[in-house]
């Protein structure tokens, strides 16, 4: 039920009945993410003003310098989700292992797990370029009443019940799906409410923007090299425009609005690419498909990949359906 300018809270409640597990818990979960997003947005917007940027000194499991805003965002999302006593487990890019949330009465009655990339694009924090939060929600598969196990987190992306992102850009938006299309909400910072600004978001079937770090060109597989040269060729509606922000959420969001393709392929430097399957590729792939786009590793649908590790990486090609399928054909023909 779409009413322009309704708040995110009204939208969540209004669509609760259409959600097949409409127990109200998912609505409460989404509202806790809404709250955490506002708290993190406040801090992101003043990052330059307080001594919160700059490496926290720690290094996360990804081997990346942990920026203080990464740590802050991670803490806020975990704290908010835990305090609301809604989820039974959380996994995060910033946490080596998953966190079992012992519900307040210790009987593990909560049914949902959340996987998050609390601050994606963190290398952009210090240079005032947009960053984002990505979240992915599943129902647990192990028995209610017992602590969550790794099995609950290693579900295929096609089992997600909801996924979304927050983009902290020129304006702050929360974009999410529960499997019934994709809707975007823009934060009015003056009053702290998200308003429905982009109902029924969809990828244009084709586009003229390609997003890839061409600094890695010499390390790419031949099929990717051939596709990039195709994008640059003078004919039909090409050459395309190259746009690469260095924040998946921002490149994805722009491509969904204007049409385009995002690629983080495998290379001789990263045999499985860089992006993490569970809390980057799966949620973005769910959103992409709900917006009539496509997401694969170049050969296999992202949402059909069986995860084997919490922080595993996969090659990621995502965006306008026709562009992804053209790229996949270049990869197949180069085999
Ligand atoms: P590179 C950010 O660290 C991220 O995970 C994505 O948000 C972004 O698209 C990509 O990595 C950038 O990686 O290697 O091009 O700097």
């Amino acid at each position: 039920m779409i009413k322009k300018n309704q708040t995110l809270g009204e939208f969540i409640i209004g669509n609760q009945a259409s959600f097949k597990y409409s127990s109200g818990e998912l609505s409460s979960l989404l509202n806790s993410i809404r709250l955490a997003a506002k708290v993190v947005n406040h801090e992101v917007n003043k990052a330059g003003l307080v001594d919160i940027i700059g490496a926290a000194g720690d290094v996360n499991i990804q081997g990346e310098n942990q920026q203080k805003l990464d740590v802050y965002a991670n803490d806020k999302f975990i704290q908010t989700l835990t305090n609301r006593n809604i989820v039974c487990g959380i996994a995060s890019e910033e946490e080596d292992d998953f966190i079992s949330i012992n519900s307040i009465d210790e009987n593990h009655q909560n049914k949902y797990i959340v996987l998050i990339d609390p601050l994606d694009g963190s290398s952009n924090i210090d240079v005032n370029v947009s960053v984002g939060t990505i979240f992915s929600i599943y129902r647990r598969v192990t028995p209610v009443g017992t602590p969550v196990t790794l099995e609950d987190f290693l579900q295929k992306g096609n089992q997600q019940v909801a996924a979304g992102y927050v983009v902290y850009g020129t304006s702050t938006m929360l974009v999410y799906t529960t499997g019934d299309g994709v809707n975007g909400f823009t934060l009015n910072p003056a009053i702290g409410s998200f308003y429905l600004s982009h109902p029924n978001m969809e990828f244009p079937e084709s586009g003229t923007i390609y997003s890839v770090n061409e600094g890695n060109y010499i390390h790419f597989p031949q099929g990717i090299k051939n596709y990039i040269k195709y994008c640059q060729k003078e004919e039909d509606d090409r050459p395309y425009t190259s746009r690469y922000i260095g924040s998946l959420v921002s490149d994805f969001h722009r491509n969904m609005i204007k049409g385009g393709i995002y690629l983080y392929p495998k290379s001789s430097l990263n045999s499985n690419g860089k992006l993490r399957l569970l809390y980057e590729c799966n949620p973005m792939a769910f959103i992409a498909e709900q917006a009539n786009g496509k997401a694969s590793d170049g050969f296999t649908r992202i949402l059909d990949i069986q995860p084997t590790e919490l922080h595993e990486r996969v090659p990621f090609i995502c965006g306008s359906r026709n562009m992804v399928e053209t790229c996949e054909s270049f990869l197949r023909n180069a085999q």
Side-chain angles (χ1 to χ4, degrees):
M1 177 176 65
I2 303 284
K3 283 187 301 182
K4 192 82 173 160
N5 291 335
Q6 65 185 139
T7 66
L8 175 55
E10 291 163 344
F11 184 88
I12 290 171
I13 297 301
N15 286 275
Q16 181 173 295
S18 68
F19 179 61
K20 59 184 173 184
Y21 304 109
S22 58
S23 65
E25 282 174 310
L26 182 71
S27 298
S28 186
L29 206 178
L30 290 168
N31 277 315
S32 65
I33 289 173
R34 171 173 62 118
L35 172 63
K38 286 194 264 189
V39 171
V40 171
N41 174 67
H42 179 69
E43 215 59 34
V44 166
N45 284 350
K46 64 177 188 176
L49 301 175
V50 296
D51 177 31
I52 197 165
I53 59 177
D58 300 340
V59 174
N60 65 21
I61 192 169
Q62 324 299 335
E64 296 165 343
N65 271 337
Q66 205 154 12
Q67 303 275 341
K68 286 182 182 172
L69 215 45
D70 275 353
V71 176
Y72 179 86
N74 188 53
D75 292 351
K76 284 304 159 200
F77 273 93
I78 289 172
Q79 186 183 62
T80 308
L81 288 165
T82 303
N83 293 348
R84 289 281 184 97
N85 186 26
I86 308 157
V87 299
C88 51
I90 300 172
S92 169
E93 180 193 44
E94 302 301 338
E95 301 288 336
D96 295 353
D97 201 352
F98 66 85
I99 302 168
S100 174
I101 309 292
N102 300 326
S103 46
I104 293 173
D105 53 10
E106 293 288 321
N107 65 2
H108 307 288
Q109 289 305 304
N110 296 330
K111 302 177 187 63
Y112 291 103
I113 63 162
V114 181
L115 299 98
I116 53 171
D117 181 356
L119 209 69
D120 176 66
S122 53
S123 58
N124 283 323
I125 294 170
D126 291 349
V127 294
N128 202 19
V129 171
S130 58
V131 292
T133 297
I134 307 172
F135 61 89
S136 172
I137 302 172
Y138 294 82
R139 290 172 68 82
R140 67 178 300 174
V141 291
T142 55
V144 172
T146 63
V148 287
T149 69
L150 185 58
E151 184 188 357
D152 291 303
F153 294 90
L154 298 185
Q155 299 182 55
K156 290 183 180 181
N158 57 33
Q159 296 302 303
Q160 292 175 96
V161 296
Y165 60 82
V166 184
V167 52
Y168 308 100
T170 46
S171 62
T172 294
M173 280 191 70
L174 191 152
V175 177
Y176 84 99
T177 182
T178 56
D180 188 22
V182 177
N183 292 285
F185 299 80
T186 299
L187 180 66
N188 177 340
I191 48 177
S193 292
F194 282 99
Y195 286 89
L196 179 61
S197 53
H198 296 67
N200 295 318
M201 298 183 80
E202 288 196 345
F203 273 94
E205 281 205 347
S206 290
T208 58
I209 296 171
Y210 71 102
S211 307
V212 65
N213 183 340
E214 296 191 50
N216 298 326
Y217 179 85
I218 57 170
H219 304 293
F220 286 150
Q222 192 55 48
I224 294 290
K225 289 179 177 175
N226 296 345
Y227 178 67
I228 291 173
K229 286 306 164 202
Y230 163 83
C231 293
Q232 295 167 344
K233 215 170 167 183
E234 284 275 0
E235 64 184 37
D236 301 337
D237 56 359
R238 295 193 307 286
Y240 293 160
T241 296
S242 172
R243 286 284 183 275
Y244 192 68
I245 298 172
S247 282
L248 165 61
V249 170
S250 303
D251 282 314
F252 179 99
H253 186 74
R254 182 209 49 245
N255 289 347
M256 183 156 64
I257 292 172
K258 291 180 178 271
I261 184 172
Y262 172 95
L263 307 98
Y264 210 104
K266 72 177 185 180
S267 72
S268 52
L269 300 174
N270 298 305
S271 57
N272 287 316
K274 175 186 182 185
L275 300 189
R276 278 70 79 174
L277 174 59
L278 292 188
Y279 38 80
E280 288 179 315
C281 300
N282 271 335
M284 301 310 271
F286 187 22
I287 296 166
E289 291 197 0
Q290 284 290 312
N292 292 330
K294 189 170 184 183
S296 77
D297 65 2
F299 300 93
T300 305
R301 179 187 182 224
I302 289 291
L303 297 182
D304 289 341
I305 294 174
Q306 176 57 59
T308 54
E309 290 169 24
L310 207 51
H311 299 285
E312 76 180 76
R313 301 171 192 267
V314 291
F316 191 56
I317 298 168
C318 178
S320 295
R321 175 169 294 282
N322 293 348
M323 299 180 83
V324 173
E325 288 174 353
T326 300
C327 180
E328 289 170 339
S329 68
F330 275 88
L331 282 163
R332 276 194 306 276
N333 296 337
Q335 277 191 309

